[in-house]
Amino acid sequence: VNLGLVDCNAFYCSCERLFQPLLKTKPVVVLSNNDGCAVSRSEEAKALGVKMGEPYFKFKHLCQSHDLKVFSSNFSLYTDLSWRVMEWLRAYAPSIEVYSIDEAFLDVTGITELVVFGQRLRQELLRQVGIPVGIGFGPTKVLAKAANRLAKKSLKSQGVVDLTQTKWHQAGLSRLPIEDVWGIGRAQSQKMRLLGIKTAWDLREYKNEKLIEKIFTKIGWQIQQELRGERCFPFQKPAEAKKEIMCSRTFGTSVEDKVALKEAVAHYVTSAAEKLRQQGSVCQEVTVFARTNPFRQELPQYTFYETRRLPHPTLDTFKLITVAQQLVDQGYREGYEYKKAGVRLSDFYQSTELQLDFLTPTDTPERHELMKVIDRYHQKEGKGILKSAACGVKDKAWRMNRQHKSPRYTTDWNELKVFY
DNA sequence: TCTGGGGTCCTAGGACCC
DNA sequence: TCTGGGGTCCTAGGACCC
């Protein structure tokens, strides 16, 4: 078995560039929600020194001095283009596992001349969808990831690296710093370095497996095995239903008012419950949290988390909003400027199982129907048209800032790109 | 004051990913 | 002035049971 990992280059930036070709050679950054910090950077932006996760206000000056272009995040656009990329991958490989919005593993077992195959795939994606990608091949996920990382680093590779054959492992892996190995983050790589493990190759060759497992847990041991070509992380994990669903946002302007906080929470419950129903689940636990701005230490700080277990599982948005608002009442303290709030739904069951069980009192069938109607309506006419009055009707100070948002070119008729 | 052994389940917290 | 959001997995430790 051999795997490929396809990874879109600076995906969000590439999506924005697709509709503004003049930006192809300019530094581009896409910002997180609320225009908070950098989450995607073009090569040119990286060269200017913009760091991943760096707050916008720290590099804003580059817009003036170096013609840096910034965008607010536009997830309808990114999700749609991601879907197009995945469709093309499905056409090229017998099976794929979509790993994230911009990455997928491919089963490439039996394909010879992988580098040629990879090059063709890259060109095809560029031509058909317009998104540049890098590709790595290997016998395990960790090795395919490593190959992909090497492909990004080396110009010579032209975006494709093949580590399926053991004979190339030493050359490749010894050029890969340990912190670039998939699954080894900051904390673990520091510990690795104390053991003298500086590269992926060092970890592969480290003899004391027991010690690796002791310090880095089962996962650390599995990563070492995968570097040696022993498969631990299976391909095509079926996409399982989520075990919890969260929805939270940082506010555009902080709020002190309990009513405003409740409105925001009602919004988050609404979209979390929609996701809950979409995966066919019901939930029996709700958590609400809110916090002040930790970056403003001169202000009084306060965070609350309140969790409630429900008497019966539910998928009813209105029921969940009621509970969530009670939780706000419990946790809320006056005199703080709340900057972020959120909701977590957890303790899930299958909604179908539940309906068959007449002994478990749960939502009424009428409520299920109502939710279906709302979901269908939103699917057809757009999200957020029907909502509980608890979400509020007036202007919302807490709404996200998004000053640099591009149009939804591919998912909204009114925002189609027009070329003159 | 002294106080077994083994098992399960749950939760909190840490680490990681994109 | 301005600092994202949404997940998963693992482990340790406590509660509880017999």
Side-chain angles (χ1 to χ4, degrees):
Chain A
V1 175
N2 279 324
L3 299 177
L5 177 72
V6 178
D7 178 318
C8 303
N9 300 340
F11 182 54
Y12 300 165
C13 289
S14 299
C15 292
E16 298 293 349
R17 278 176 163 173
L18 197 51
F19 292 88
Q20 294 206 35
L22 292 179
L23 300 186
K24 280 253 151 74
T25 54
K26 298 223 186 275
V28 174
V29 165
V30 173
L31 301 171
S32 64
N33 275 336
N34 230 15
D35 294 346
C37 53
V39 290
S40 181
R41 306 158 296 150
S42 73
E43 286 306 318
E44 297 79 359
K46 288 177 195 168
L48 285 180
V50 180
K51 299 274 179 278
M52 188 66 176
E54 189 176 352
Y56 179 37
F57 70 88
K58 287 194 178 170
F59 61 84
K60 206 171 185 170
H61 62 275
L62 295 173
C63 300
Q64 291 285 324
S65 57
H66 290 78
D67 205 19
L68 172 72
K69 302 291 183 192
V70 301
F71 290 92
S72 303
S73 39
N74 182 351
F75 282 103
S76 344
L77 179 66
Y78 311 151
T79 307
D80 186 55
L81 289 174
S82 166
W83 184 80
R84 295 186 191 187
V85 169
M86 300 310 169
E87 282 307 298
W88 276 99
L89 293 181
R90 272 183 250 277
Y92 266 76
S95 61
I96 78 172
E97 176 189 327
V98 177
Y99 175 67
S100 74
I101 192 165
D102 70 336
E103 279 177 52
F105 289 100
L106 317 180
D107 182 355
V108 293
T109 311
I111 298 177
T112 49
E113 305 281 350
L114 278 171
V115 173
V116 176
F117 169 78
Q119 288 299 352
R120 218 173 45 226
L121 185 49
R122 276 186 86 226
Q123 283 159 20
E124 198 67 359
L125 283 171
L126 203 54
R127 198 161 69 88
Q128 304 289 357
V129 193
I131 297 292
V133 302
I135 308 180
F137 297 106
T140 64
K141 283 188 168 179
V142 169
L143 282 169
K145 269 274 192 185
N148 181 280
R149 183 58 79 103
L150 291 168
K152 271 192 187 163
K153 290 181 126 175
S154 128
L155 275 180
K156 213 180 76 189
S157 72
Q158 305 233 38
V160 179
V161 167
D162 178 6
L163 285 183
T164 53
Q165 295 182 59
T166 317
K167 62 180 176 187
W168 300 116
H169 286 184
Q170 181 164 12
L173 296 181
S174 55
R175 281 195 295 130
L176 196 69
I178 190 66
E179 58 271 13
D180 287 354
V181 174
W182 188 41
I184 310 280
R186 234 188 28 204
Q188 311 284 41
S189 58
Q190 273 177 11
K191 287 187 220 158
M192 291 268 179
R193 283 181 180 272
L194 290 179
L195 291 178
I197 301 173
K198 302 187 193 71
T199 66
W201 180 253
D202 295 339
L203 176 57
R204 184 196 156 112
E205 293 299 292
Y206 198 83
K207 298 299 179 230
N208 193 341
E209 287 181 31
K210 284 269 173 281
L211 188 65
I212 294 291
E213 182 166 6
K214 181 140 201 294
I215 301 179
F216 304 100
T217 74
K218 187 176 149 193
I219 296 190
W221 180 82
Q222 287 176 321
I223 292 170
Q224 185 183 40
Q225 292 302 305
E226 287 240 328
L227 282 173
R228 294 175 179 175
E230 300 294 328
R231 211 164 298 112
C232 298
F233 305 127
F235 171 66
Q236 262 205 332
K237 279 193 321 243
E240 282 158 35
K242 303 253 183 283
K243 296 166 186 167
E244 56 183 56
I245 291 172
M246 302 194 31
C247 186
S248 71
R249 290 287 180 279
T250 300
F251 300 145
T253 311
S254 51
V255 302
E256 235 189 293
D257 181 28
K258 185 155 82 170
V259 176
L261 198 56
K262 281 184 167 179
E263 280 182 14
V265 164
H267 267 273
Y268 307 152
V269 172
T270 306
S271 49
E274 240 164 66
K275 291 184 198 167
L276 179 75
R277 295 191 292 271
Q278 228 158 47
Q279 68 165 31
S281 300
V282 290
C283 80
Q284 200 168 359
E285 197 171 71
V286 187
T287 302
V288 169
F289 71 91
R291 65 175 316 160
T292 49
N293 186 347
F295 295 104
R296 304 220 21 209
Q297 284 297 329
E298 74 278 13
L299 295 178
Q301 297 288 315
Y302 175 60
T303 302
F304 72 81
Y305 277 86
E306 297 288 339
T307 298
R308 169 87 54 85
R309 208 183 146 68
L310 308 175
H312 319 294
T314 184
L315 49 62
D316 182 338
T317 297
F318 301 118
K319 229 188 235 178
L320 290 167
I321 288 180
T322 308
V323 173
Q325 301 222 329
Q326 290 167 1
L327 292 172
V328 174
D329 282 324
Q330 278 178 31
Y332 177 85
R333 300 282 178 276
E334 238 168 274
Y336 294 99
E337 294 195 20
Y338 297 92
K339 183 63 176 170
K340 177 176 181 174
V343 169
R344 181 178 66 220
L345 306 181
S346 50
D347 197 10
F348 292 170
Y349 304 87
Q350 287 282 312
S351 57
T352 44
E353 277 173 27
L354 214 75
Q355 283 165 313
L356 295 174
D357 181 359
F358 295 107
L359 294 176
T360 312
T362 177
D363 305 329
T364 61
E366 290 80 8
R367 274 310 174 87
H368 279 226
E369 270 316 303
L370 176 58
M371 293 302 134
K372 271 190 204 160
V373 169
I374 293 179
D375 291 342
R376 267 203 301 269
Y377 191 75
H378 280 169
Q379 215 170 16
K380 203 166 148 220
E381 306 292 339
K383 275 193 189 300
I385 300 182
L386 295 173
K387 52 180 184 259
S388 163
C391 296
V393 287
K394 285 203 293 250
D395 274 358
K396 312 201 172 45
W398 47 266
R399 269 180 49 108
M400 278 193 289
N401 291 327
R402 285 163 126 182
Q403 294 193 1
H404 309 280
K405 192 162 161 288
S406 54
R408 288 169 289 182
Y409 297 113
T410 63
T411 55
D412 191 314
W413 290 112
N414 298 317
E415 300 182 14
L416 282 181
K417 176 85 175 174
V418 178
F419 291 95
Y420 296 100

